[in-house]
Amino acid sequence: MTEALPGVNYQGPPRHASGSRGGRGDHRDVQTSRRDRRPNRRSKRSRRPLIVAAVAVLVVLGALGAWTVKNDGYLFGLRTPLAAADYEGTGGEPVTVEVPSGNGYTIGAELAEQDVVASAAAFVHAFNANPDAAAIQPGTREMRLQMSAASAVELLAQNEVDRSGFTVPEGYTVDQIKQSLIDQGWPQADVDAAFEDIASLLPPEADGEPEGWLFPSTYAVKPDQTPAAEVVQQMIAETTSLLDALEVPADQRETVLIKASLIEREARMAEDRPIMAAAIENRLAVDEWLGIDASLLYGLGRTSGGLTSAELADGSNPYNLSVRGNKGLPPTPIASPSRASIEAVMNPADDPEVFFWCTVNLETGETKFANTQAEHDENVAELHAWMEANPGWNG
């Protein structure tokens, strides 16, 4: 059967007398007219490969874009405009930096704050790309301002640490500081004696409790030259001097150090500290539980790790600030806070609505803040999703 063309009333070719020129001419005219009115199927077929190719290109570009974002803005090892800020070269003026213990982001955040690298994210990328980075040790290091992240990692991986002094990292507890003194050569008997008599070295507002009063810094002391008690005295004097400089009243100093120590153990980014300080003040103002896990961990004698339901429910632990624990602040600081954390307590963010925070990425330290319980629950769910995607991660 002859297929009828749309829009054409097709009856078949007209019949003419055999050998009629006019008939053949008429027949050709009719056929030509009919062909002219047929849809251009060949044109449509020729466009299909182009459309398929265009879609394929878009899919590839989308995949490359997603891969680039996932890899911190790098594509096959090359920087793209999506990459985090980074300097070029090996840096300018020399600078002394206290390299903290921790993962690549912890180190990168400190270097970015000191303007050694342009961003913590760029440092993390360079850290992950350098197989020697895992051997980087904390301590006092001679570096340069505005180094490329790659050159900063390379320099740190050489581990040329200045061992001429004693370094107290930010966020260390009294027990960690004691062990560090022993590990670096001070006789254990002298260290034990120094801490047994520490109440005589503390100001009255400390009420005999040294936690939080041993300022994190590097001290020009050596085991064979400086008694342990003198080192401890220097740490306490440094804290007192800073509180004097910030004009913290004596009757508020212990409270300021408690709040600052909570922030020190929770914050991973400098910009988060004032917001955390605001959240603490807002919750205390309405008599809400603080719910800070770092405090409960301290009460359990730990500085990291997960918490069991039984531990969260144990209200007898005075450092348990969960809803089944204790309201208000813990009885003492939980670590040695940095100047940045102390200043955050003295100058919290102007945000009367913020009540919650949750670190949603344990590797980068990304923290999200929330005003409502519902928003906070979403952030907690994001953290749980990250943990499921990174089983066994321990930074």
Side-chain angles (χ1 to χ4, degrees):
M1 177 181 291
T2 303
E3 181 180 356
L5 296 176
V8 177
N9 186 12
Y10 188 77
Q11 301 280 333
R15 298 183 180 182
H16 301 282
S18 177
S20 170
R21 291 180 183 268
R24 286 194 298 271
D26 292 344
H27 178 66
R28 285 196 297 271
D29 290 344
V30 170
Q31 296 290 0
T32 301
S33 174
R34 194 164 60 243
R35 285 197 299 267
D36 289 345
R37 296 192 318 191
R38 288 177 182 172
N40 192 343
R41 293 181 177 179
R42 182 178 299 175
S43 176
K44 288 184 178 180
R45 286 196 298 270
S46 66
R47 287 197 299 266
R48 287 175 185 169
L50 295 177
I51 295 173
V52 172
V55 171
V57 169
L58 290 175
V59 170
V60 172
L61 290 176
L64 289 176
W67 177 266
T68 302
V69 171
K70 182 179 180 181
N71 287 274
D72 303 320
Y74 287 81
L75 181 62
F76 304 124
L78 300 176
R79 284 178 56 82
T80 74
L82 298 176
D86 196 4
Y87 294 127
E88 295 183 359
T90 56
E93 297 180 10
V95 62
T96 301
V97 179
E98 292 301 322
V99 177
S101 58
N103 58 24
Y105 195 90
T106 302
I107 299 171
E110 177 64 24
L111 296 183
E113 190 170 343
Q114 301 296 326
D115 198 30
V116 173
V117 297
S119 67
F123 183 87
V124 170
H125 178 81
F127 184 95
N128 292 336
N130 190 325
D132 297 328
I136 292 176
Q137 299 294 318
T140 305
R141 313 295 283 274
E142 292 296 326
M143 305 193 73
R144 292 184 176 275
L145 294 176
Q146 300 186 353
M147 306 177 70
S148 72
S151 63
V153 172
E154 185 177 354
L155 179 60
L156 290 175
Q158 297 173 10
N159 281 319
E160 295 178 356
V161 180
D162 182 359
R163 300 295 185 184
S164 62
F166 175 67
T167 298
V168 178
E170 297 168 350
Y172 258 31
T173 65
V174 165
D175 287 344
Q176 288 175 309
I177 295 170
K178 287 176 64 176
Q179 189 60 50
S180 292
L181 285 166
I182 295 170
D183 291 343
Q184 294 198 26
W186 276 269
Q188 181 167 349
D190 292 349
V191 173
D192 289 342
F195 281 88
E196 286 172 4
D197 192 37
I198 200 169
S200 64
L201 305 176
L202 291 165
E205 55 266 31
D207 197 25
E209 295 290 342
E211 197 69 82
W213 285 88
L214 308 180
F215 192 73
S217 183
T218 296
Y219 299 88
V221 294
K222 293 183 178 181
D224 57 348
Q225 297 177 2
T226 313
E230 186 175 327
V231 178
V232 172
Q233 189 172 20
Q234 287 187 36
M235 298 181 207
I236 296 170
E238 195 73 19
T239 298
T240 304
S241 176
L242 175 58
L243 295 174
D244 286 342
L246 297 177
E247 299 181 348
V248 182
D251 62 348
Q252 297 180 24
R253 293 185 173 186
E254 181 74 359
T255 298
V256 167
L257 291 176
I258 291 174
K259 294 176 181 177
S261 70
L262 295 173
I263 294 171
E264 189 65 46
R265 293 298 305 167
E266 288 281 322
R268 296 275 296 278
M269 301 183 186
E271 61 267 25
D272 291 341
R273 297 175 199 253
I275 310 176
M276 288 184 180
I280 289 173
E281 297 299 337
N282 293 341
R283 295 183 76 83
L284 291 175
V286 296
D287 197 30
E288 276 283 353
W289 287 274
L290 292 180
I292 297 177
D293 291 345
S295 177
L296 177 51
L297 285 169
Y298 176 84
L300 296 170
R302 308 201 303 263
T303 57
S304 62
L307 293 165
T308 67
S309 298
E311 290 169 340
L312 287 166
D314 183 9
S316 66
N317 182 344
Y319 291 89
N320 183 1
L321 308 182
S322 72
V323 293
R324 287 169 287 180
N326 307 279
K327 285 185 176 180
L329 295 169
T332 69
I334 64 170
S336 293
S338 63
R339 180 185 183 114
S341 292
I342 295 173
E343 289 179 338
V345 172
M346 300 301 297
N347 299 282
D350 184 14
D351 191 344
E353 301 297 327
V354 64
F355 270 78
F356 307 88
W357 71 75
C358 177
T359 301
V360 297
N361 186 313
L362 301 181
E363 182 176 7
T364 66
E366 179 188 0
T367 298
K368 291 188 176 181
F369 295 86
N371 298 347
T372 67
Q373 183 68 53
E375 293 172 347
H376 181 60
D377 290 344
E378 291 180 2
N379 295 337
V380 171
E382 185 174 344
L383 168 63
H384 290 164
W386 185 93
M387 293 175 69
E388 290 179 5
N390 297 271
W393 187 90
N394 58 356

